[in-house]
Amino acid sequence: MKRRILGGTGISVSEYALGAMMFGAVANRDHDDSVRIIHRALDAGINFLDTADIYSAGESEEIVGKALKGRREDVVLATKAHGSMGDDDNHSGNSRRWITREIENSLRRLGTDYIDLYQIHRPDPTTDVDETLSVLSDLVRAGKVLAVGSSTFPAEQIVEAQWVSERRGHVRFRTEQPPYSILARSVEAAVLPTAQKYGMGVLSWGPLSAGWLSGRYTKASDIDLAGGGRAALEQFKFDPSRPENARKLEAVGELSKLASDAGLSLPHLAIAFVRAHPAITSVIIGPRTMEQLEDLLAGSEVELSADVLDRIDEIVPPGTDLNRADSYYVPPALADKALRRR
């Protein structure tokens, strides 16, 4: 497994990061099996693990903590805070009050006394970024966190955070974690160039676009909107009767043929595409089963030719999200009509 340096921190991380969102109640409920998957990933050369407090309400962090017993020093461990962890409004967000409390909860669940990369999971319009960076700086000085990053931040908020860090003397975000896949390329326009400008590492998530590029969907009837999976929970991203999703299905068909002509599986093509962007430090893979992990590991050395990359650009133009919902962030001014009216 090849390695790259994470955002000028000097920390060496594998080109694949193991995402732990699928471990716990949301997907794989078997703790022992999840631990085996983590150990297999580590044995294969992956040294970068990414989780979050909100994944299965803390259960994912607990599973990762079990897996890292006796192996903690060999792993670059990343987690996140922001999402709601209870009914109280103060049990979420990017405030000093919440982060000071939640870092202790994450350390306890993970069974460690420090986190290599602590990320703010989403922007918080109710909290001044100066407040957030101030508490993160205190955590770094206390040795509880070694580096900090953002996740799914728009380019303008990444820039604002960098400026605030410089002017106020805070630690700065060293990484950004955006969604990025062949079907969701909007980050190529501003987020990835901005990360490069500020020397930030990028650990991208969603390379298989919520399963669209897994090879599972080849026709509209493959999409089950009545079941209990992600397609049922997020129908606006899957319903093939919606024009944007019909376009995704059409693109998947073209990409499947391209992958076959190149002698690759569709997932291997999809992940190799993300790895090919010069801004990307590490691609987060999120297997639920050992079989899925083994398949993804088999494609870790795939390199795409210029001809294949050019053809991908023809199928999905650079900077394009075929479904805008796949950006996973809606600016407050668009989500709340009161912010657009006097």
Side-chain angles (χ1 to χ4, degrees):
M1 185 71 63
K2 296 178 182 176
R3 292 193 179 187
R4 298 173 178 173
I5 299 300
L6 184 65
T9 63
I11 300 173
S12 175
V13 297
S14 49
E15 287 188 336
Y16 275 11
L18 182 66
M21 189 176 75
M22 292 292 106
F23 303 143
V26 72
N28 189 340
R29 297 171 179 267
D30 187 329
H31 285 210
D32 291 339
D33 185 51
S34 297
V35 168
R36 283 192 292 270
I37 293 170
I38 294 171
H39 286 172
R40 172 67 184 113
L42 298 180
D43 293 340
I46 293 176
N47 78 327
F48 200 7
L49 264 61
D50 178 78
T51 184
D53 57 354
I54 199 174
Y55 296 163
S56 295
E59 188 180 2
S60 172
E61 287 187 327
E62 292 173 355
I63 292 170
V64 170
K66 291 178 183 179
L68 294 188
K69 288 182 179 177
R71 306 187 69 160
R72 174 67 183 93
E73 294 305 313
D74 299 324
V75 172
V76 178
L77 178 60
T79 192
K80 314 178 200 73
H82 166 83
S84 177
M85 294 295 287
D87 295 333
D88 193 311
D89 289 344
N90 286 321
H91 292 177
S92 64
N94 303 344
S95 69
R96 171 177 285 274
R97 186 180 193 275
W98 175 239
I99 291 174
T100 299
R101 174 175 176 177
E102 187 60 357
I103 184 68
E104 300 298 336
N105 293 331
S106 286
L107 290 170
R108 172 179 50 78
R109 288 188 292 257
L110 290 164
T112 185
D113 57 4
Y114 73 99
I115 291 166
D116 295 281
L117 177 64
Y118 197 49
Q119 302 157 102
I120 300 302
H121 213 155
R122 293 291 189 277
D124 178 0
T126 70
T127 305
D128 191 325
V129 70
D130 178 49
E131 179 81 1
T132 303
L133 291 167
S134 174
V135 65
L136 292 176
S137 298
D138 290 345
L139 296 179
V140 170
R141 284 189 284 268
K144 296 179 180 180
V145 171
L146 303 187
V148 300
S150 55
S151 176
T152 320
F153 273 47
E156 65 272 16
Q157 294 198 35
I158 294 173
V159 172
E160 180 188 9
Q162 294 290 328
W163 286 359
V164 169
S165 291
E166 180 179 347
R167 293 172 182 177
R168 299 299 181 107
H170 300 319
V171 298
R172 67 184 185 93
F173 288 144
R174 304 309 298 260
T175 63
E176 162 60 15
Q177 184 180 139
Y180 183 36
S181 74
I182 296 176
L183 303 182
R185 301 183 60 174
S186 63
V187 295
E188 293 174 336
V191 169
L192 297 184
T194 298
Q196 288 176 293
K197 178 178 179 63
Y198 287 101
M200 299 170 71
V202 178
L203 48 157
S204 62
W205 59 275
L208 301 184
S209 196
W212 277 94
L213 297 173
S214 68
R216 182 187 315 162
Y217 306 122
T218 60
K219 54 187 181 301
S221 59
D222 293 332
I223 302 174
D224 182 9
L225 299 178
R230 180 173 288 183
L233 295 173
E234 299 181 302
Q235 293 193 16
F236 55 96
K237 297 179 184 177
F238 287 88
D239 185 351
S241 69
R242 297 173 64 102
E244 57 267 49
N245 294 329
R247 178 68 187 99
K248 282 163 69 171
L249 196 59
E250 178 185 350
V252 168
E254 295 181 62
L255 291 166
S256 295
K257 183 180 185 306
L258 176 62
S260 179
D261 291 345
L264 302 171
S265 70
L266 181 57
H268 291 176
L269 174 85
I271 296 178
F273 164 81
V274 175
R275 283 178 46 243
H277 196 290
I280 300 299
T281 309
S282 189
V283 181
I284 298 174
I285 58 171
R288 179 178 53 85
T289 66
M290 187 70 78
E291 181 182 11
Q292 291 172 350
L293 173 63
E294 294 292 355
D295 177 66
L296 296 174
L297 289 173
S300 64
E301 301 298 322
V302 171
E303 302 284 345
L304 301 182
S305 68
D307 289 345
V308 170
L309 291 169
D310 288 344
R311 178 63 184 129
I312 291 173
D313 286 350
E314 293 173 0
I315 296 170
V316 181
T320 301
D321 285 347
L322 295 186
N323 185 334
R324 289 182 61 186
D326 289 330
S327 69
Y328 287 87
Y329 176 73
V330 179
L334 299 183
D336 184 355
K337 62 184 180 183
L339 297 177
R340 305 190 303 275
R341 303 177 184 179
R342 290 187 181 277

